[in-house]
Amino acid sequence: MRRRLLFGERMLLGDGTEPFNAVIPFRLRGTFKEKDIQLALTQLQGKHPWLRALIHHDENHVPWFEVLERNLPIPIRIVHRKGDDDWKEESMKEWQTLFNYTELPLLRFVWIKGEEVSDMLFAFHHCLCDGGSAMSFLNEFLQLLDNPFHDIGLENPILGIQDVVPSEILANRGQQIKAKVIGRLAATAIKCIPVGKKAIERQKDYLVHWKLDKTMSQELISYCKSKQVTVNTFLSTAVLQAFKKVKGEKAFNKVSCPVDIRRFAKQIKEDHIFAFGLMIVVSANQKMSFSENLHLIQESVERKTSKLNPYITMMVMESAHDALKNFTKLLKHGKSSNDCMFSNLGRIQIPHQYKAFTLDTIFSPSVIGPLGNTTTMVASTFRGEMDFSFIGSEGYLPHSEALAIRDEVMETIKQQLEYLPVS
């Protein structure tokens, strides 16, 4: 089984010399054996073909996912657990470790082994899948680790754009012409945008992590309901305000927010291993209060989201493979135009109690790559607690400023919750 990488996947893959890795850390209470972990990972590969795929290039240097007949085990790295923060160090180590994708799968496993508590990490190349896919196979892994006889089914893998874009759209002559015209215009525009000869020096990467307790998390959810805005909108607004307060005139007043393509393209199932994403950008009105901006940004999000069209977007990108080199150069060498990417995974619906162990927590995923500004904040909620991972690099956002932005976000949450009506 093989398929050519889509435009977005090729962009994330790059030339193989720089990692673009994502990490999902989680904490388990219980005792485990390596053979049981390996068995669960092997069964996971049995369901998902692309978890046992390599990447090979054809004679035109185009990369293809290729599943071999023989199974290639997911590598396991075991580390002795010294403390509760070891997962941060190991996450950052996994960010920097290249995938040897011509010989090994695009997924690794790290076991930070303790006597009664273990932290575990899934690390994967971002060209393999997105956070939604990763949460799905994390759920399946935990079920298999608890019960190796659990039936997780078989994935019917996506073999190309034809499995995502409906045939009546893909074969429509008008849509084809539209996609090619937009693709050519975009490719031409990209060529004309001036970029520097050298990329910004990224310098040292870092990870800032914090949680809201259950009470504050629930109060924040209740506040958002009372204001008729989403938690995602609230947090995006808080992030924009925090960057403005910390960076002043150097803030861009722009936060990019990923939108799950599965909301629009129902052909992509929750358990599909797939990496294509959609994006919108939100900004605040500097003359308005926080509360006023909440509603302004909520309206903006709804308006921009309603205009997203994953099918034509994919068709445009697939018509522009020859522009990939210029587009990648623009992302790497162009000036940053947004403050950060903010992604809220929402409530993670994975059980925490199993027969053999307890899932104590899932830390918000982290991702970092070489395509421009690395500043990223990821939020998620598990067992009623909101969790934040703030990823960055000194060359784009100094660590001291990241800490100040975190503090400003927390201060905004606390200030707004003061106005929460007592039910």
Side-chain angles (χ1 to χ4, degrees):
M1 183 186 296
R2 66 199 294 258
R3 78 163 172 87
R4 191 178 78 159
L5 271 69
L6 300 171
F7 181 96
E9 295 166 339
R10 288 183 66 182
M11 182 182 68
L12 295 170
L13 177 68
D15 61 6
T17 63
E18 299 172 294
F20 201 142
N21 301 347
V23 179
I24 295 183
F26 53 101
R27 178 168 293 161
L28 300 180
R29 294 187 180 274
T31 55
F32 308 92
K33 296 178 181 178
E34 184 179 357
K35 66 179 182 66
D36 295 330
I37 294 174
Q38 191 72 75
L39 176 60
L41 293 174
T42 300
Q43 290 172 302
L44 203 60
Q45 288 178 296
K47 172 178 178 175
H48 302 285
W50 305 129
L51 295 188
R52 55 183 191 271
L54 305 179
I55 293 180
H56 291 143
H57 290 77
D58 63 20
E59 62 276 8
N60 296 316
H61 204 63
V62 174
W64 292 69
F65 288 120
E66 186 170 352
V67 180
L68 304 184
E69 291 186 8
R70 71 181 191 279
N71 189 54
L72 295 170
I74 293 169
I76 299 176
R77 182 166 63 88
I78 301 176
V79 181
H80 174 67
R81 190 176 192 272
K82 300 185 292 290
D84 287 346
D85 289 333
D86 292 355
W87 66 271
K88 297 179 187 177
E89 180 182 339
E90 297 305 324
S91 292
M92 290 187 282
K93 189 178 294 183
E94 287 298 321
W95 293 348
Q96 309 296 340
T97 305
L98 282 168
F99 278 92
N100 180 11
Y101 53 70
T102 62
E103 297 181 11
L104 293 170
L106 293 154
L107 180 67
R108 294 190 291 259
F109 191 86
V110 181
W111 179 14
I112 307 173
K113 185 178 180 181
E115 291 186 7
E116 296 180 357
V117 177
S118 286
D119 293 327
M120 299 181 180
L121 284 70
F122 272 112
F124 56 94
H125 198 296
H126 199 10
C127 78
L128 176 70
C129 66
D130 61 6
S133 299
M135 284 298 172
S136 181
F137 69 65
L138 168 59
N139 185 29
E140 293 165 350
F141 168 78
L142 293 168
Q143 292 172 337
L144 292 167
L145 185 61
D146 189 49
N147 176 13
F149 299 104
H150 185 81
D151 183 9
I152 60 171
L154 290 173
E155 178 191 1
N156 183 20
I158 291 171
L159 298 175
I161 188 173
Q162 71 278 2
D163 290 337
V164 178
V165 181
S167 57
E168 62 271 19
I169 297 176
L170 194 60
N172 184 283
R173 184 66 178 160
Q175 296 286 4
Q176 291 174 355
I177 294 172
K178 179 181 178 181
K180 287 182 179 179
V181 169
I182 295 174
R184 289 303 90 206
L185 288 173
T188 302
I190 288 169
K191 283 184 180 180
C192 297
I193 298 174
V195 295
K197 292 183 178 180
K198 289 185 178 181
I200 292 175
E201 184 64 38
R202 191 161 120 186
Q203 301 178 41
K204 186 179 179 181
D205 301 324
Y206 55 81
L207 169 62
V208 179
H209 171 262
W210 73 98
K211 282 181 178 287
L212 305 186
D213 61 26
K214 288 184 179 180
T215 300
M216 184 174 285
S217 298
Q218 185 54 55
E219 287 178 349
L220 177 53
I221 293 170
S222 298
Y223 174 91
C224 292
K225 287 181 179 178
S226 71
K227 293 288 185 178
Q228 296 183 314
V229 300
T230 65
V231 173
N232 190 74
T233 292
F234 179 98
L235 294 174
S236 297
T237 309
V239 169
L240 284 165
Q241 179 171 281
F243 268 90
K244 180 63 178 176
K245 285 189 175 182
V246 172
K247 296 190 69 67
E249 295 303 315
K250 292 182 179 180
F252 294 105
N253 189 30
K254 289 183 180 179
V255 168
S256 55
C257 300
V259 179
D260 191 352
I261 190 174
R262 295 165 184 81
R263 289 173 54 182
F264 306 92
K266 300 302 180 183
Q267 299 87 337
I268 307 173
K269 307 303 179 186
E270 292 293 331
D271 62 350
H272 267 135
I273 303 299
F274 193 63
F276 188 87
L278 300 169
M279 195 81 69
I280 62 172
V281 176
V282 297
S283 299
N285 186 322
Q286 306 289 354
K287 297 179 180 180
M288 289 185 173
S289 67
F290 181 85
S291 182
E292 289 171 328
N293 266 307
L294 275 182
H295 296 287
L296 178 75
I297 291 175
Q298 184 66 51
E299 291 172 2
S300 174
V301 167
E302 291 171 0
R303 184 174 62 255
K304 291 179 178 180
T305 303
S306 69
K307 293 180 180 179
L308 290 175
N309 187 330
Y311 303 135
I312 194 66
T313 302
M314 286 193 73
M315 291 174 68
V316 167
M317 294 176 77
E318 289 310 292
S319 73
H321 275 264
D322 59 330
L324 179 64
K325 186 176 180 180
N326 287 329
F327 187 55
T328 301
K329 184 179 179 181
L330 175 64
L331 291 175
K332 283 187 175 183
H333 296 256
K335 291 184 178 180
S336 180
S337 61
N338 72 324
D339 294 302
C340 79
M341 185 184 80
F342 172 71
S343 176
N344 180 24
L345 297 178
R347 188 162 64 93
I348 299 174
Q349 299 187 19
I350 295 178
H352 79 274
Q353 191 62 56
Y354 298 81
K355 292 180 181 178
F357 56 83
T358 300
L359 176 59
D360 190 65
T361 192
I362 299 174
F363 301 103
S364 289
S366 60
V367 61
I368 197 165
L371 300 180
N373 191 349
T374 59
T375 314
T376 304
M377 189 181 295
V378 183
S380 61
T381 302
F382 181 69
R383 298 182 69 181
E385 293 184 336
M386 208 166 287
D387 184 279
F388 297 84
S389 289
F390 193 7
I391 306 101
S393 308
E394 290 282 354
Y396 287 101
L397 180 72
H399 183 250
S400 59
E401 292 186 2
L403 293 176
I405 288 167
R406 174 204 60 188
D407 293 343
E408 285 293 343
V409 169
M410 286 300 300
E411 184 61 28
T412 297
I413 293 172
K414 291 174 183 176
Q415 286 180 355
Q416 295 305 312
L417 293 187
E418 289 179 2
Y419 306 117
L420 185 67
V422 178
S423 56

